[in-house]
Amino acid sequence: MNPKSLTQMRRAIALAYVFMFLASFTVIFGVFSYWLARKVTQVDYAEVWLQAQALWIMRNVVIYTALAIFAALWFIPLCFYAWDSLLWVKACTVAGVVFSLIAFIFLINAWFKGIYKFYQNKAVF
């Protein structure tokens, strides 16, 4: 493995972390993050810690997407009823906000843990 390919893989992981952070604002960036991390996992000669970083990103983006979709399901009644019309609509909306907050905190925590280990050139678990 030459230093140029190592630099390219490190750059891909760094960009994946940038997109992973941006995924906390919209899930579309999670797809870009997943794709960049997947490129590193497909290389046979990549260092183990880089592959572990890439798998960490892929894992957390998938979990965050599932959490975000679950949180979005709680907002469906708002399409049919006004916020203050019924108590159960208000309860569903509050549950959606809570689950959205849980998904956001999960992704930010995973991002901090991963970026910390990335700058140490270590595998993240």
Side-chain angles (χ1 to χ4, degrees):
M1 176 154 114
N2 58 15
K4 185 177 179 181
S5 62
L6 178 63
T7 305
Q8 288 175 343
M9 284 189 281
R10 283 183 54 88
R11 187 177 300 129
I13 293 295
L15 276 173
Y17 272 117
V18 168
F19 284 128
M20 185 178 172
F21 177 75
L22 293 175
S24 62
F25 302 114
T26 178
V27 179
I28 300 300
F29 286 114
V31 174
F32 295 129
S33 177
Y34 185 91
W35 179 72
L36 285 168
R38 187 177 180 278
K39 278 184 15 179
V40 175
T41 60
Q42 300 299 317
V43 176
D44 291 333
Y45 56 84
E47 291 184 2
V48 175
W49 73 273
L50 278 174
Q51 286 185 339
Q53 290 282 340
L55 290 172
W56 174 260
I57 292 169
M58 291 169 62
R59 171 188 173 264
N60 286 308
V61 166
V62 168
I63 292 172
Y64 171 71
T65 304
L67 287 172
I69 290 171
F70 180 73
L73 291 176
W74 290 93
F75 293 107
I76 291 175
L78 287 177
C79 296
F80 304 106
Y81 299 103
W83 163 263
D84 288 330
S85 64
L86 298 170
L87 185 62
W88 68 270
V89 176
K90 196 178 293 187
C92 285
T93 306
V94 169
V97 169
V98 169
F99 286 126
S100 297
L101 184 65
I102 290 170
F104 177 75
I105 290 173
F106 169 79
L107 187 70
I108 294 299
N109 181 42
W111 185 79
F112 276 126
K113 186 176 180 182
I115 203 81
Y116 176 72
K117 291 292 186 175
F118 177 70
Y119 283 121
Q120 290 181 341
N121 295 341
K122 292 184 178 179
V124 61
F125 297 110

